[in-house]
Amino acid sequence: MKMDGGQALIRALELEGVDVMFGLPGGAILPVYDPIIDSSIRHILVRHEQGAGHMAEGYAHATGRPGVAMVTSGPGATNIVTPLCDAHLDSVPMVVITGQVPYAAIGTDAFQECDTTGITQSVTKHNFLVSEAQDIPRTIKEAFHIATTGRPGPVLVDIPKDIVDPDNPRSALEWTDDVEMDLPGYSPRTEVDPAAIAAAADLIRAAERPVLYVGGGILKARAAEALKELAELTGIHVVTTLMARGAFPDSHDLCLGMPGMHGNFTAVTAMQESDLLIALGARFDDRVTGRLDGFAQGAKIIHVDIDAAELGKVRRPDVAILGDCRVAIEALVSDLSSNGVGGADRGAWRSRVSGWQERFPLSYEQAQAGDALKPQMVIERLRDATPDDTIVASGVGQHQMWASQYWSFEHPYTWINSGGLGTMGFSIPAAIGAKAGCPDKMVWAVDGDGCFQMTAQELVTATVEKIPIKVALLNNSYLGMVRQWQEMFYDERYSEVFLSKDVPDYKGWAESMGCVAMRVDSPEEVDAAIAKANEVDDRPVVIDFRVTAAEKVYPMVPSGASNSELVVPPSQQDQPR
Amino acid sequence: MNEQQGSSGPAKHHVPDYRYHTLVVTVENKSGVLARLAALFSRRGFNIESLAVAPTDDERFSRVTVVVDLESAPLEQIIKQLDKLVNVVNIRELHPGHAVERELMIVTVAAGPDRRDELVEQLDRAGGKVLSVGADAMMLSLVGPPIRIDEFEELLGQYGIIELQRTGRVALANLDEND
Ligand SMILES: Cc1ncc(C[n+]2csc(CCOP(=O)(O)OP(=O)(O)O)c2C)c(N)n1
Ligand SMILES: [Mg+2]
């Protein structure tokens, strides 16, 4: 069948099962926007290309399917670099299509030309510059294959205008349904080495203080069920990193919650004191390990990862298992079921763990009558007033840590955040993408006032496209997380962290973007506002929660310190460790 | 890969008994692939000592011979990160002493008529060739194992090197090492 490159591109996306894409047109990508009118794919027009990228990420996080974004050349492409880097660090499957100047004009500094593949090389899993129309269907197939297999990640496809422009003979191609991929250098491995599994099972049987250290890879591998089976079979406690919140239910007896810089005392300390860390799809990030040479010094390591380069990158494992997390866990379960879970005595360990849980629960000082609103309390009320399977997307800062700490995650894929890159402004577009992918779920963005001002304009997109997300704005008038560091480590010298008490008028701003908006100043108003927000189903809602700026995120491992130097809230500082 | 390495503490640098290591990397013969390799080396802080690229007998692939500096990063990380590049098809480690390594040097040396005989005699012994002869200088070439090239380059110091170009090494595994 004869087609032009633009039609072929859209057809190829349809064949990949794309139902929604996010983008914004411009000169170089114009010809591809024409066939969208006749396509089954829903295109969501964003207000800034960064929004398109984070929406695609949010969609991918929530649905497990690759997110797709399309933007024009030059500034369109550079505006989406941040989401690409974000997706790269958090292993989010995403395909980004960028327009490019005509092939013959590349290198001439043509209008809106930039070296998109050069710029994005280090922030994508792979990228392509397509030179011939005939290569479009194959390249799209390869892009989706690379984005979704092995360790997932973002893939960019740069499309010169002449090969998609129906007025240009270079855009003509013969469409065939069966295109073969040509990727001789790409063959991710999923199966696992039985000898490594056996060695790992032996370590597990012998361990007296084992901890399952679970990272975002568990979610990418769709392995939450398998993990539960392994934990319950062995009775081993689980910590879920910031990227893995929800992979194991917070309400489960074996769940210790989040480890790391703002992890809770028990999760951090159990890892520190452990004799066996079973790392599943986790990468020993510095935010988790604290000072590396002080991290879990007495622990042996089993490390399961689909990316060989993670094995031994930071901490040398005693048993390295290369392959898919779910396959590995199932193999471990099968070994431990047939050969026994071992007779190691873990009684003393269990009582130490429960002692920590009793002495060092997550806590903050409750507000007294007349006190300002506490951000942690807002999260708790929101948690209690929303369904179990509510999707929470957060920004970056104190509010992110409180959301991760005080929410109770019961299901996988209900927590969406920017972990590796820590991108302020992530939450609103990510929530929109998640809601576009899961329209039947309630989606709340938990945002900070600093973050809100970076991407709030996407609420216009949400209104116009009828994507009714809800935003809990924890407005403390500050770049709060930075303020916290200045308070603790720079002698309370606050440099450039105060935003403003009165501008913008968030309620007025949100209303102008078509949202239902409320402002909450006191603790008594919280429940009613949330209840009202939960009633709205035809447009976005924003609640401006005016919270105190004085709260700090606890516990905290100061940067550069060992996890054993975890700072607990003042009320717990006299407790014996 | 390093048995002495304890299980606690960071995955410290593997301390190599040799500093440079040769990797033969087969890559897809596509535009931009060399840039990807170079970008990876710079982004991950891997230092390279030399790099030589040429097409192979199969036009779909090129072969890159790269000498990496193991003081900058452990060999295992370098290989694994390279392997993640989608256009990298195959990586082969060539252990020093188990490979045939060659390098080409061309050099212009200051040598007036009075010193030419001496220079040519040394060149003959090293197995090199005279490419051209000028009034006060000679242009020479020498192919050999990198260490021999080093030695010869040092020897030329006494004459005065005017201009020198080396290719960086290329290598193939010894015949009995081929698998
Ligand atoms: C794009 C970007 N710029 C700067 C930072 C550094 N940073 C991390 S948290 C933070 C403050 C965020 O402020 P806000 O959104 O109000 O959240 P809060 O900490 O007050 O809850 C800043 C500036 C970042 N993570 N991302
Ligand atoms: Mg703030």
Side-chain angles (χ1 to χ4, degrees):
Chain A
M1 200 197 323
K2 294 253 179 280
M3 259 190 209
D4 67 60
Q7 294 168 325
L9 177 56
I10 295 299
R11 179 92 193 97
L13 293 178
E14 287 168 356
L15 281 184
E16 292 296 332
V18 176
D19 56 351
V20 185
M21 64 195 286
F22 309 90
L24 194 148
I29 197 71
L30 248 169
V32 185
Y33 269 83
D34 187 72
I36 284 184
I37 296 177
D38 307 315
S39 170
S40 61
I41 299 173
R42 175 183 184 193
H43 180 278
I44 291 171
L45 174 63
V46 300
R47 267 38 179 186
H48 186 294
E49 290 89 349
Q50 182 187 359
H54 293 320
M55 286 179 203
E57 289 187 84
Y59 174 94
H61 271 292
T63 64
R65 299 193 297 271
V68 180
M70 185 157 79
V71 299
T72 195
S73 66
T78 54
N79 273 349
I80 209 161
V81 170
T82 299
L84 285 168
C85 189
D86 193 272
H88 193 46
L89 279 169
D90 286 347
S91 307
V92 182
M94 167 156 91
V95 173
V96 170
I97 293 154
T98 47
Q100 182 55 279
V101 301
Y103 198 69
I106 291 177
T108 66
D109 302 318
F111 179 61
Q112 293 193 332
E113 179 188 358
C114 72
D115 175 14
T116 303
T117 48
I119 290 169
T120 59
Q121 209 163 76
S122 69
V123 296
T124 51
K125 183 171 173 187
H126 191 57
N127 62 23
F128 297 91
L129 170 60
V130 188
S131 58
E132 311 288 334
Q134 193 64 50
D135 294 340
I136 290 173
R138 193 193 72 242
T139 308
I140 294 295
K141 192 168 184 177
E142 291 171 350
F144 277 81
H145 180 66
I146 293 170
T148 55
T149 54
R151 179 176 185 169
V155 178
L156 180 138
V157 184
D158 201 23
I159 306 271
K161 183 171 185 177
D162 52 328
I163 67 166
V164 285
D165 177 4
D167 295 333
N168 190 313
R170 290 228 324 125
S171 80
L173 67 97
E174 184 63 36
W175 174 274
T176 54
D177 275 343
D178 40 17
V179 284
E180 294 272 320
M181 290 190 286
D182 178 24
L183 297 170
Y186 182 73
S187 50
R189 165 172 161 168
T190 49
E191 73 279 17
V192 294
D193 172 12
I197 295 291
D202 283 343
L203 286 185
I204 291 174
R205 277 186 280 268
E208 290 175 359
R209 304 186 303 281
V211 174
L212 286 156
Y213 157 33
V214 171
I218 277 277
L219 293 170
K220 304 298 172 353
R222 322 297 295 174
E225 277 302 309
L227 167 66
K228 199 164 167 203
E229 207 180 331
L230 176 64
E232 288 176 350
L233 173 69
T234 55
I236 298 177
H237 293 111
V238 179
V239 301
T240 49
T241 67
L242 184 66
M243 291 311 297
R245 304 288 291 127
F248 191 71
D250 276 330
S251 61
H252 198 289
D253 280 347
L254 291 170
C255 191
L256 303 183
M258 180 172 77
M261 180 175 270
H262 291 298
N264 73 76
F265 184 94
T266 307
V268 173
T269 310
M271 286 179 88
Q272 275 304 81
E273 302 294 315
S274 161
D275 68 348
L276 177 65
L277 287 177
I278 306 153
L280 303 171
R283 59 183 173 89
F284 295 85
D285 180 77
D286 55 83
R287 285 296 188 263
V288 168
T289 62
R291 204 182 69 230
L292 199 55
D293 60 12
F295 173 66
Q297 287 164 312
K300 291 202 155 107
I301 307 285
I302 296 169
H303 194 173
V304 182
D305 209 288
I306 196 151
D307 180 354
E310 288 302 339
L311 304 173
K313 182 183 81 177
V314 175
R315 171 84 174 246
R316 187 150 296 285
D318 297 85
V319 176
I321 301 175
L322 176 62
D324 180 83
C325 248
R326 188 165 54 79
V327 175
I329 296 172
E330 284 167 357
L332 280 172
V333 165
S334 139
D335 184 305
L336 292 160
S337 316
S338 7
N339 303 325
V341 295
D345 180 6
R346 295 183 187 146
W349 173 243
R350 285 203 190 91
S351 55
R352 278 177 81 190
V353 170
S354 54
W356 293 324
Q357 285 176 313
E358 268 162 44
R359 291 198 300 284
F360 299 100
L362 276 175
S363 78
Y364 63 96
E365 246 175 85
Q366 301 295 324
Q368 306 301 312
D371 278 2
L373 190 54
K374 297 251 174 167
Q376 302 94 324
M377 177 259 198
V378 174
I379 302 282
E380 290 182 319
R381 292 300 173 84
L382 195 58
R383 171 196 71 199
D384 294 341
T386 47
D388 240 15
D389 64 348
T390 299
I391 295 174
V392 185
S394 94
V396 169
Q398 292 181 309
H399 61 281
Q400 172 190 29
M401 292 300 129
W402 287 318
S404 175
Q405 291 176 334
Y406 287 96
W407 202 268
S408 179
F409 295 99
E410 299 304 321
H411 302 283
Y413 315 110
T414 55
W415 167 244
I416 297 176
N417 90 132
S418 166
L421 194 62
T423 310
M424 284 175 70
F426 179 79
S427 73
I428 288 176
I432 293 170
K435 182 75 178 170
C438 304
D440 298 334
K441 288 209 176 152
M442 186 179 278
V443 179
W444 272 92
V446 173
D447 215 2
D449 45 333
C451 288
F452 187 89
Q453 293 185 61
M454 290 200 179
T455 50
Q457 77 278 9
E458 297 310 335
L459 287 168
V460 177
T461 306
T463 299
V464 172
E465 294 278 348
K466 301 215 179 324
I467 303 173
I469 63 157
K470 304 176 203 306
V471 182
L473 173 58
L474 299 186
N475 178 1
N476 54 10
S477 312
Y478 275 96
L479 299 170
M481 185 57 96
V482 183
R483 181 189 193 278
Q484 172 167 346
W485 283 55
Q486 292 178 346
E487 181 180 340
M488 294 172 75
F489 312 120
Y490 290 85
D491 297 329
E492 300 180 35
R493 284 161 55 85
Y494 298 117
S495 174
E496 302 300 321
V497 287
F498 178 63
L499 294 169
S500 163
K501 281 263 179 243
D502 348 284
V503 284
D505 164 11
Y506 291 95
K507 181 169 181 292
W509 186 10
E511 280 168 353
S512 78
M513 292 188 284
C515 306
V516 172
M518 291 169 262
R519 170 176 167 154
V520 169
D521 289 274
S522 72
E524 298 74 45
E525 301 165 291
V526 171
D527 290 340
I530 294 172
K532 186 173 163 204
N534 283 344
E535 293 296 303
V536 179
D537 207 26
D538 60 346
R539 70 193 74 186
V541 187
V542 174
I543 309 179
D544 174 11
F545 289 104
R546 296 292 173 125
V547 298
T548 169
E551 283 300 304
K552 289 199 284 290
V553 182
Y554 283 118
M556 178 172 193
V557 180
S559 160
S562 138
N563 281 356
S564 301
E565 299 161 62
L566 183 72
V567 179
V568 294
S571 65
Q572 296 173 353
Q573 273 160 13
D574 297 331
Q575 289 283 357
R577 299 203 169 193
Chain B
M1 87 188 169
N2 183 348
E3 282 76 41
Q4 286 102 302
Q5 176 84 51
S7 64
S8 68
K12 284 201 211 81
H13 255 175
H14 160 94
V15 184
D17 41 4
Y18 42 85
R19 177 167 170 187
Y20 299 104
H21 198 105
T22 306
L23 298 176
V24 177
V25 185
T26 307
V27 300
E28 285 185 86
N29 186 7
K30 288 185 172 165
S31 73
V33 173
L34 189 58
R36 287 177 200 276
L37 290 182
L40 174 74
F41 283 120
S42 96
R43 142 127 173 70
R44 298 268 174 196
F46 304 157
N47 289 342
I48 49 182
E49 174 66 10
S50 79
L51 183 113
V53 197
T56 60
D57 48 355
D58 183 337
E59 63 177 20
R60 291 174 303 157
F61 304 116
S62 296
R63 183 162 291 138
V64 181
T65 310
V66 51
V67 180
V68 294
D69 179 354
L70 300 191
E71 261 181 29
S72 69
L75 182 63
E76 179 190 329
Q77 253 309 292
I78 298 175
I79 291 176
K80 284 172 164 179
Q81 293 292 352
L82 273 175
D83 202 29
K84 280 169 71 167
L85 292 178
V86 169
N87 301 120
V88 168
V89 178
N90 182 30
I91 302 167
R92 182 141 188 205
E93 292 179 54
L94 292 183
H95 296 274
H98 297 258
V100 178
E101 298 186 326
R102 287 294 178 271
E103 192 171 355
L104 164 68
M105 170 173 75
I106 47 180
V107 56
T108 305
V109 187
D114 53 322
R115 299 200 69 183
R116 274 185 203 152
D117 288 350
E118 185 192 349
L119 177 56
V120 168
E121 191 183 311
Q122 281 170 328
L123 182 68
D124 281 347
R125 233 179 287 134
K129 289 202 176 82
V130 176
L131 301 181
S132 69
V133 180
D136 299 309
M138 292 175 83
M139 191 190 289
L140 317 173
S141 77
L142 178 66
V143 173
I147 179 141
R148 296 280 162 269
I149 307 275
D150 291 344
E151 287 165 4
F152 192 66
E153 185 180 328
E154 207 178 308
L155 193 121
L156 292 178
Q158 54 171 306
Y159 298 91
I161 293 170
I162 297 169
E163 205 176 1
L164 178 144
Q165 181 70 54
R166 293 173 64 159
T167 57
R169 75 185 75 177
V170 293
L172 284 177
N174 282 345
L175 279 183
D176 52 1
E177 316 274 331
N178 267 311
D179 39 26

